[in-house]
Amino acid sequence: MEKFKLGAKRPLIISGPCSAETEEQTLTTCRQLAAEGVVDVLRAGIWKPRTRPGTFEGVGLKGLAWLAEAKRETGLPIATEVASAKHVESALEFGVDLLWIGARTTVNPFLVQEIAEACAGNDVQILIKNPMHPEVALWAGAVARFVKAGTPEENIGLLHRGFSVGGANHLRNNPMWHLALEMQSLCPNMMMLCDPSHICGNREYLQEISQKSADLNYDGLMVESHICPVEAWSDASQQLEPKALGEMIRSINWRSTISDDPEYLQSLARYREQIDQIDAELFELLSRRMAIADNIGRVKRENDVVILQSGRWASIVDRVMAQAAKLHLSEEFVRTILEAIHVESIEHQNRIMNN
Ligand code: PEP
Ligand code: MN
């Protein structure tokens, strides 16, 4: 079997159970996934980082033997999560082809350093998941530790599984796509994969999130699959049966990244020109708005009145928010823009008042 390399195939599809539970469950799931013919790498969690103690924490070493057997039978490379140098050593002993660092480990520079050192010199292929909380610097720092310790950039991939932020919507983890795109621009030579399972937390949304990642030019997916999802020992609500996984993967449209069709290129150029023009006007207008805020600052200073007039601000928010739907803008977007304008406006008035 040829050595597995990240970057050799796009889109790269990784699937398998959240956890290896029994030999039977691991092997049957892997066999059925291989039979679907859409999976490039088999995954299973052997050591599970769980939020609460006393819940299922993985089968440990014996699960590695099951994964190795799945690899032997199907001819597919295998992947598992590592959270310490010892895990790396054991996984490599059992011929694991691809390792990944989980979101709860990426947050910990001590562990990341330890794992990076254990990987160095072993020609390891590794995926680094985003940290639990939305901090791109920590994600980039984890990548940098691997590079510094000696893992070549082409052996590292990024895995986006969303961020644990309070007050999220119907999804288990908020994707905050812009942060993954920012990370991608920091590491332009690394594959960016999406883990829709941990973003969604529910199989109902997997297709939609997977397609969205494909539309954003991701390089592949890691999706959890279990022979009997409702009975899974971890993440029961987000796993798909192998057959459903196959259908889901086949339904994704991986659009091409470029086209040299002249008509397409012409329309694209025209729309981009319009966007650039509108951006210029937008900021021109914002600058005028701030100049007026400066004037308000001057009259408030002359009359010795405080900057913040909360009633006035609330009425601005109400008025603008009421327009959101009519303008086909989400309330969240409008609120974010308004808050940014408010902060800048107060900053302007503050400068005037204290000058
Ligand atoms: C997993 O992939 O099973 C897992 C534990 O994921 P995460 O680290 O993203 O929570
Ligand atoms: Mn899981």
Side-chain angles (χ1 to χ4, degrees):
M1 187 173 152
E2 215 175 296
K3 186 178 159 45
F4 171 78
K5 287 291 248 178
L6 283 171
K9 178 181 176 282
R10 181 186 188 283
L12 179 68
I13 307 297
I14 305 169
S15 186
C18 177
S19 306
E21 298 162 3
T22 65
E23 183 168 15
E24 167 71 14
Q25 167 260 0
T26 305
L27 285 172
T28 312
T29 306
C30 291
R31 280 180 201 127
Q32 291 185 10
L33 283 172
E36 286 299 317
V38 293
V39 173
D40 304 301
V41 179
L42 296 168
R43 68 150 274 162
I46 300 295
W47 302 281
K48 301 302 296 179
R50 304 304 301 282
T51 304
R52 291 166 178 279
T55 45
F56 173 60
E57 292 186 314
V59 291
L61 278 185
K62 65 177 183 237
L64 282 178
W66 307 337
L67 257 186
E69 174 58 18
K71 172 176 171 175
R72 202 190 58 77
E73 277 190 30
T74 62
L76 290 174
I78 50 175
T80 201
E81 173 175 351
V82 290
S84 70
K86 188 81 192 63
H87 290 170
V88 173
E89 197 185 301
S90 306
L92 295 181
E93 248 170 59
F94 280 84
V96 176
D97 302 277
L98 173 65
L99 309 179
W100 84 82
I101 295 203
R104 291 163 191 77
T105 305
T106 307
V107 294
N108 186 329
F110 291 128
L111 287 175
V112 172
Q113 186 63 33
E114 173 186 318
I115 297 165
E117 283 167 19
C119 288
N122 284 312
D123 198 21
V124 167
Q125 306 290 304
I126 186 136
L127 297 175
I128 303 179
K129 285 202 178 193
N130 66 259
M132 295 291 281
H133 63 281
E135 189 185 356
V136 173
L138 196 55
W139 196 0
V143 169
R145 283 179 195 280
F146 275 83
V147 174
K148 259 188 120 166
T151 296
E153 278 193 25
E154 68 262 24
N155 290 5
I156 305 173
L158 307 167
L159 185 45
H160 174 213
R161 49 83 76 203
F163 300 90
S164 176
V165 289
N169 44 13
H170 57 292
L171 301 173
R172 173 177 174 186
N173 287 295
N174 190 329
M176 306 181 86
W177 298 100
H178 63 290
L179 296 184
L181 299 180
E182 188 182 328
M183 185 65 185
Q184 200 170 26
S185 66
L186 292 176
C187 310
N189 301 319
M190 294 179 193
M191 288 192 111
M192 172 63 83
L193 306 180
C194 181
D195 170 348
S197 303
H198 293 86
I199 289 177
C200 296
N202 188 318
R203 47 193 153 267
E204 213 181 304
Y205 313 118
L206 292 172
Q207 208 283 337
E208 179 192 334
I209 295 293
S210 300
Q211 183 60 57
K212 170 127 192 198
S213 73
D215 293 342
L216 289 172
N217 199 23
Y218 277 50
D219 301 298
L221 299 168
M222 180 193 268
V223 193
E224 291 182 342
S225 174
H226 190 287
I227 35 161
C228 183
V230 291
E231 280 172 23
W233 298 358
S234 59
D235 291 348
S237 51
Q238 70 194 29
Q239 305 202 56
L240 283 178
E241 275 178 50
K243 214 170 152 41
L245 184 284
E247 270 166 38
M248 202 277 275
I249 297 296
R250 280 187 289 271
S251 79
I252 308 284
N253 183 5
W254 295 90
R255 297 174 172 93
S256 63
T257 50
I258 44 163
S259 159
D260 50 16
D261 178 70
E263 224 170 283
Y264 157 78
L265 291 174
Q266 213 180 24
S267 330
L268 192 66
R270 206 172 43 238
Y271 289 135
R272 284 183 168 163
E273 235 168 71
Q274 286 176 19
I275 293 250
D276 290 351
Q277 181 56 31
I278 289 176
D279 282 349
E281 286 171 24
L282 261 176
F283 283 93
E284 191 73 31
L285 266 177
L286 283 171
S287 165
R288 276 167 53 194
R289 191 192 190 283
M290 293 308 156
I292 295 174
D294 288 345
N295 288 340
I296 292 184
R298 278 183 207 102
V299 293
K300 283 182 182 165
R301 183 182 61 195
E302 277 153 24
N303 292 279
D304 221 11
V305 171
V306 293
I307 293 178
L308 199 65
Q309 310 267 332
S310 59
R312 163 71 182 151
W313 180 246
S315 80
I316 291 180
V317 173
D318 285 349
R319 186 161 37 76
V320 181
M321 291 299 284
Q323 289 180 290
K326 204 170 62 201
L327 297 171
H328 308 293
L329 299 172
S330 74
E331 289 195 1
E332 191 190 353
F333 171 71
V334 173
R335 195 178 294 279
T336 305
I337 298 283
L338 271 177
E339 271 164 17
I341 291 174
H342 195 204
V343 168
E344 180 73 8
S345 185
I346 287 176
E347 199 47 50
H348 270 252
Q349 293 191 35
N350 203 14
R351 239 177 278 144
I352 300 281
M353 294 284 252
N354 296 298
N355 247 328

